[in-house]
Structures are given as structure tokens and as C-alpha cells.
Amino acid sequence: MKTIAAIGLGLSLAGCAATPAARPAAVGQVAVPYNPIGLERVIGQDAASLTRLFGQPDADIREGTARKLQFQGRFCVLDAYLYPKDGQPPRVTYIDAREPDGSTIDRASCVSALTRREGGK
């Protein structure tokens, strides 16, 4: 009977060894759900439209056919990612926003704030 108990204990411990350790959650990082409401003026637009809306970009980064335009304001930084599709010019497919210190901010709030910055229309 002791042999069966020892085998059972050994199998139980073997199962524990194969279980991956739980990872702690990242501290200070809060995921902001992507909600397209309030982003209609940006999603699907080309670079010229963004420039008319926000003024000249503070950064214009190109990698292959992709492009990232960055607009900085007093309250936030907005990154607009433009990709071509079906032979058409690149258009915004995704945006990301953050406060100047890097903390999270609602994307629509950032778009609204940037449209009121000097240079934006």
C-alpha cells in the first residue's frame, strides 16, 4: 500500500513540475481598449488629410510601404499608422495615444486635443 501511495505522490509532483510558473502582471501598464468611436476623423485618412487636421507631423517614419506619423501636443502624443491596401495610397489603419510622460490616455480625447493645437485646423 505504501508503494502505491509513493507512486501517486511522485506522479502528482511530476505534474507540478510541468506547470509553467504564473507571470506577475506588469506594474504601471494599463491596457486601454481600442474603441473606434471618436476616431472617425482619423481612421481611414491619408497623410495629407492628417496634416490638414493636425498640422505638420512632429515625426514622419517610413518603413517599406508603411508609414507612421506622430503628432505631439501639450496634452498627448498621437501615433498614426498608415498602410497601403489594394494598390491604394497608405491610409490610417491604427492609432495609438499617450500622455507626454508615457502614461495612457483615451485615443479620442487625444485626437480632440490635437485638433485644437496650434497648426491644426
Side-chain angles (χ1 to χ4, degrees), residues 27-53:
V27 178
Q29 296 292 325
V30 177
V32 176
Y34 192 78
N35 184 345
I37 295 173
L39 305 178
E40 299 87 2
R41 294 184 290 174
V42 178
I43 299 294
Q45 299 301 314
D46 61 10
S49 296
L50 293 180
T51 301
R52 282 191 299 275
L53 183 62

Side-chain angles (χ1 to χ4, degrees), residues 47-106:
S49 296
L50 293 180
T51 301
R52 282 191 299 275
L53 183 62
F54 300 127
Q56 288 299 314
D58 296 288
D60 186 347
I61 302 165
R62 296 170 193 250
E63 186 173 320
T65 59
R67 188 173 182 186
K68 177 178 98 168
L69 296 178
Q70 185 176 85
F71 300 93
Q72 298 179 8
R74 183 173 171 200
F75 298 106
C76 65
V77 177
L78 181 81
D79 294 322
Y81 297 90
L82 298 88
Y83 297 95
K85 184 177 179 184
D86 300 327
Q88 297 294 315
R91 295 193 173 272
V92 177
T93 60
Y94 181 79
I95 64 170
D96 194 20
R98 62 192 170 283
E99 292 184 35
D101 68 2
S103 57
T104 58
I105 188 171
D106 176 70

